[in-house]
Amino acid sequence: MIRLEGISRTFDVGGRPVRALQDVTETIAAGEHVAVMGPSGSGKSTLLNILGCLDRPSAGSYTLDGREVAQQGDGELTLVRRNLIGFVFQFFHLVPRLTAQENVELPMVFAGVPPRERRDRAAAALASVGLEDRATHRPDQLSGGERQRVALARATVMGPRVLLADEPTGNLDSASGRQVLDVLERLNASGLTLVVVTHDFKVARRSGRVVMLLDGRIAKRVAASHVQEIADVLAGEAR
Amino acid sequence: MSGRDLLAFALRALTGHRLRSALSLLGVAIGVAAVVLLTALGEGARRYVTQQFESLGSNVLIVMPGRVETTGGVPGFGGVPNDLTLADLEAIRRGVPSVSRIAPLAVGTETIAFGDRRRQVPVAGTTRDMLDIRHLTVARGDYLPRETGREPAVVVLGQTVANELFPGLDPVGQVVRIGAWRMRVIGVNASRGVQMGTNFDEFVIVPVATAMRMFDRSSLFRVLIEVRSHGELDQAKAAVEALLTARHRELDVTCLTQDAVLTGLNSILGALTLALGGIAAVSLAVAGVGIMNVMLISVSERTREVGLLKALGAGRRQVLSVFLAEAVMLSGAGGVVGLAVGFVAVQVLIGFYPGLPARPPLWAVVAASVLSLLVGAGFGVLPARRAMRLEPVAALSRR
Ligand SMILES: Nc1ncnc2c1ncn2[C@@H]1O[C@H](COP(=O)(O)OP(=O)(O)O)[C@@H](O)[C@H]1O
Ligand SMILES: [Mg+2]
């Protein structure tokens, strides 16, 4: 599903290059559930943004679902984001003036889905995250966990192949976090490829395998059951 | 993204900031209202003048001594013109068959007195034909005799003069003094009010030769000619000019038709209306800057939202349209409000000046409406392009 080869991303900060990613090579099969860990500033978000075609690598090749997307134009990338990728963020990023229902409809608005079909699909997506009775609520009338589930409904309503989540539970209490995780696992079980950036070992343990970034490079790959090894490395880093 | 979705999305964004939206909309509203009101004023003046002229009759030819360029109204510098005399008038009456009526006009100012009441008045000398040419009516008594030969010492008073000199009295049959002349009042004109800036109710009318002697004039002020039909006007004008050229050995008179004067005035007042509208339209450009400012603020506040929209699959064009739609809706709504305010203001104006046929010309209403939309589109482009160019990551990373 995803093939990264020699991916680098360099930012120019005040004339000095900052290497956020260096020579990252990784393959993620369809239906996999991968957790990405690493200390703050190690390049996790940068990696996820490149996977989500929100950002372009400075070098390397990125093949998504059989097509090279690293050097495609804006128009193609828009279509990739619209149809193949779902994104959820640590800070939910719901549009505050729109209701839950309208937030979920938003991707379909841009895709030109007719209003009636849009309503039905959004209602179904909200129901699938257990929020059918929150459809007319605005984000400020929802709890953090509910907001993230609305965001999940929105990310999946276009039927993407890949779901990318940047610290989706980072801003939630543990009960809400578990609910969000339940939804993620259910989506993964139904065949969606899942990449989750997290600091939380409990989250990482529920994935299939864990990739650890250090200073923009992949430093370690372990099965989820061996996430303790990553904890040890990170503890060593912190010291 | 359908047009309807676009409008709905833009409307949501605008109503999220009611005060800010209302204020930037106000600028456009003022501009459009100003265009409507000022052009209505200019157009009202134009219609007013046209009406005044049309009340004169459309088949009237006016002859005046001296050469005057008809459209500009600036006197030319020829030699001293020959007098325009009553003999000329008689020659025209006999020599130009399409003339149906012809009346002389001599004017001056004199003091009129009855008993110990006296008053300075404009005096017009003419003949009976003036009554029909100018569609005047006599309220009481009779008008002047038709003939210009041996003239009786009679006078016709305007309404105001009659009321002031003879309060509660019937003036007809009384004898008044005009300067050194004693004259018998034979009639009182019906009130005509102010026309062409002159209050005819303040005039007194005497036989033409009397007036010329009274003011020691050798030349008439004007000769008014009524032609049988409007179609014969140009031909009659040519005939009158030819006849007077032959009599004076040069063309030293000016023949004006209503049409020529009206066309000149119309174009001057039309240009005035256009200028007023143009000045008002400038305020629309100022309003556009206000909209641009508000949209720039909106874009920078919603940087994250733009990033999100792109992450959700919104294309560059769609982001551009969202922000453009907001700007156009702002200015369009301003335009609608401005039209409403403008039309109400025109009604208020008419309430104060019922005689002024003020009404905004259609072109001004259409131009103001179109312009208000264009202002939004034009000044909305820069902010919308800025939104379109935002990189999704950079936009999202800000908290
Ligand atoms: N838009 C940017 N401009 C400049 N530097 C950036 C930008 N985004 C990320 N970086 C830098 O790249 C590095 C990796 O950042 P990021 O991927 O956000 O790390 P993480 O998500 O693992 O905390 C950091 O040093 C960060 O400062
Ligand atoms: Mg991060």
Side-chain angles (χ1 to χ4, degrees):
Chain A
M1 170 58 48
I2 291 171
R3 258 181 68 85
L4 298 176
E5 257 187 61
I7 292 286
S8 296
R9 179 68 170 102
T10 309
F11 292 106
D12 180 76
V13 180
R16 290 182 43 205
V18 172
R19 295 179 208 288
L21 287 178
Q22 295 182 58
D23 196 21
V24 170
T25 298
E26 180 68 44
T27 303
I28 299 174
E32 258 200 290
H33 180 175
V34 178
V36 178
M37 301 194 79
S40 182
S42 58
K44 306 182 295 295
S45 295
T46 303
L47 177 65
L48 213 62
N49 289 335
I50 286 174
L51 287 177
C53 296
L54 294 178
D55 194 11
R56 288 199 186 88
S58 314
S61 118
Y62 170 21
T63 319
L64 174 66
D65 203 20
R67 73 186 101 167
E68 172 63 47
V69 290
Q71 302 307 330
Q72 276 188 332
D74 271 319
E76 285 90 356
L77 288 186
T78 295
L79 292 179
V80 169
R81 291 196 291 258
R82 183 181 294 172
N83 298 312
L84 290 182
I85 293 168
F87 229 115
V88 288
F89 309 89
Q90 180 177 359
F91 296 96
F92 324 126
H93 286 328
L94 299 180
V95 180
R97 58 183 180 274
L98 301 182
T99 64
Q101 167 91 18
E102 289 164 337
N103 264 286
V104 177
E105 283 189 28
L106 211 46
M108 296 187 282
V109 168
F110 294 120
V113 177
R116 180 183 290 274
E117 182 187 342
R118 219 154 69 194
R119 271 196 297 279
D120 295 346
R121 277 168 65 179
L126 277 176
S128 77
V129 296
L131 290 175
E132 56 272 39
D133 55 346
R134 296 285 191 275
T136 58
H137 290 222
R138 277 191 283 107
D140 57 6
Q141 299 165 322
L142 298 171
S143 73
E146 289 170 333
R147 287 183 212 180
Q148 195 60 300
R149 281 187 282 153
V150 172
L152 270 168
R154 185 178 64 186
T156 53
V157 76
M158 287 293 294
R161 306 287 311 278
V162 179
L163 183 63
L164 306 170
D166 196 350
E167 305 190 32
T169 61
N171 245 21
L172 302 178
D173 61 73
S174 53
S176 302
R178 262 197 307 281
Q179 281 182 320
V180 166
L181 222 54
D182 288 343
V183 175
L184 284 174
E185 274 181 357
R186 193 154 38 73
L187 289 167
N188 178 241
S190 68
L192 193 63
T193 308
L194 193 57
V195 181
V196 181
V197 169
T198 186
H199 281 118
D200 187 340
F201 293 100
K202 289 199 284 296
V203 173
R205 198 166 285 124
R206 288 173 70 167
S207 69
R209 63 187 176 91
V210 184
V211 171
M212 189 184 75
L213 286 178
L214 263 185
D215 295 332
R217 295 175 190 276
I218 295 186
K220 210 165 175 59
R221 295 182 177 85
V222 297
S225 49
H226 291 71
V227 72
Q228 188 56 42
E229 294 175 24
I230 287 182
D232 294 342
V233 176
L234 288 180
E237 277 287 309
R239 233 181 286 126
Chain B
M1 195 176 192
S2 73
R4 224 177 122 191
D5 290 331
L6 196 63
L7 291 185
F9 192 83
L11 189 65
R12 274 302 193 52
L14 292 178
T15 50
H17 290 283
R18 276 166 213 276
L19 182 64
R20 182 204 288 177
S21 300
L23 287 178
S24 58
L25 179 157
L26 189 65
V28 178
I30 291 172
V32 170
V35 170
V36 169
L37 183 62
L38 290 182
T39 56
L41 217 58
E43 177 72 1
R46 199 186 62 76
R47 284 156 163 271
Y48 178 77
V49 168
T50 306
Q51 281 175 11
Q52 295 286 309
F53 263 88
E54 277 166 356
S55 69
L56 262 173
S58 66
N59 50 347
V60 172
L61 203 59
I62 300 168
V63 186
M64 54 175 112
R67 284 302 295 164
V68 170
E69 299 309 318
T70 48
T71 47
V74 183
F77 295 95
V80 177
N82 289 302
D83 291 339
L84 185 61
T85 62
L86 288 171
D88 288 331
L89 181 143
E90 287 307 325
I92 295 170
R93 196 205 295 280
R94 281 192 305 271
V96 183
S98 55
V99 170
S100 58
R101 293 191 178 92
I102 182 162
L105 185 62
V107 293
T109 322
E110 198 39 282
T111 307
I112 183 168
F114 178 69
D116 54 0
R117 293 174 190 274
R118 48 181 54 239
R119 182 180 158 84
Q120 188 84 6
V121 287
V123 177
T126 184
T127 62
R128 190 180 196 88
D129 269 357
M130 184 62 88
L131 196 66
D132 298 309
I133 294 176
R134 295 293 321 273
H135 308 295
L136 303 170
T137 45
V138 178
R140 229 174 299 153
D142 199 5
Y143 203 68
L144 302 178
R146 177 159 278 116
E147 302 312 317
T148 56
R150 288 185 58 251
E151 287 177 339
V154 292
V155 58
V156 177
L157 302 181
Q159 277 283 339
T160 312
V161 184
N163 291 343
E164 289 193 1
L165 248 50
F166 300 95
L169 260 170
D170 183 1
V172 177
Q174 305 284 353
V175 174
V176 294
R177 285 190 316 279
I178 301 177
W181 304 62
R182 290 172 59 83
M183 309 187 89
R184 190 166 50 84
V185 177
I186 55 164
V188 177
N189 269 335
S191 178
R192 244 342 239 286
V194 179
Q195 265 187 336
M196 311 284 309
T198 309
N199 188 350
F200 286 97
D201 293 350
E202 299 193 332
F203 267 74
V204 305
I205 322 284
V206 298
V208 61
T210 310
M212 288 175 83
R213 254 174 285 143
M214 196 181 275
F215 302 121
D216 196 21
R217 297 273 154 79
S218 56
S219 178
L220 292 168
F221 177 61
R222 298 282 188 271
V223 171
L224 272 67
I225 301 170
E226 187 186 86
V227 180
R228 277 192 307 240
S229 74
H230 184 76
E232 286 172 290
L233 206 55
D234 287 339
Q235 177 231 316
K237 181 183 173 204
V240 167
E241 280 176 349
L243 191 145
L244 290 178
T245 305
R247 285 175 64 85
H248 295 179
R249 299 180 196 291
E250 59 172 324
L251 183 56
D252 59 357
V253 297
T254 303
C255 262
L256 286 183
T257 60
Q258 292 298 321
D259 294 1
V261 178
L262 249 188
T263 309
L265 270 176
N266 250 335
S267 68
I268 290 171
L269 290 170
L272 178 75
T273 305
L274 199 65
L276 284 175
I279 291 167
V282 171
S283 67
L284 271 178
V286 177
V289 176
I291 286 190
M292 177 154 75
N293 189 26
V294 158
M295 289 310 298
L296 281 173
I297 293 171
S298 180
V299 169
S300 71
E301 274 181 1
R302 285 153 69 196
T303 307
R304 242 177 13 158
E305 178 184 319
V306 173
L308 171 75
L309 298 186
K310 290 193 167 180
L312 294 181
R316 285 161 61 91
R317 282 263 185 82
Q318 290 176 323
V319 172
L320 183 80
S321 336
V322 162
F323 283 89
L324 259 187
E326 284 182 30
V328 171
M329 277 174 86
L330 266 185
S331 66
V336 171
V337 172
L339 284 182
V341 170
F343 276 100
V344 168
V346 170
Q347 288 311 311
V348 170
L349 186 77
I350 292 173
F352 279 109
Y353 303 99
L356 188 67
R359 186 200 299 165
L362 184 64
W363 63 259
V365 174
V366 171
S369 311
V370 171
L371 217 61
S372 75
L373 291 178
L374 286 183
V375 156
F379 287 90
V381 164
L382 178 77
R385 286 177 74 93
R386 179 168 286 192
M388 176 184 83
R389 295 220 177 97
L390 286 172
E391 288 293 335
V393 209
L396 274 171
S397 61
R398 298 197 205 163
R399 305 256 134 97

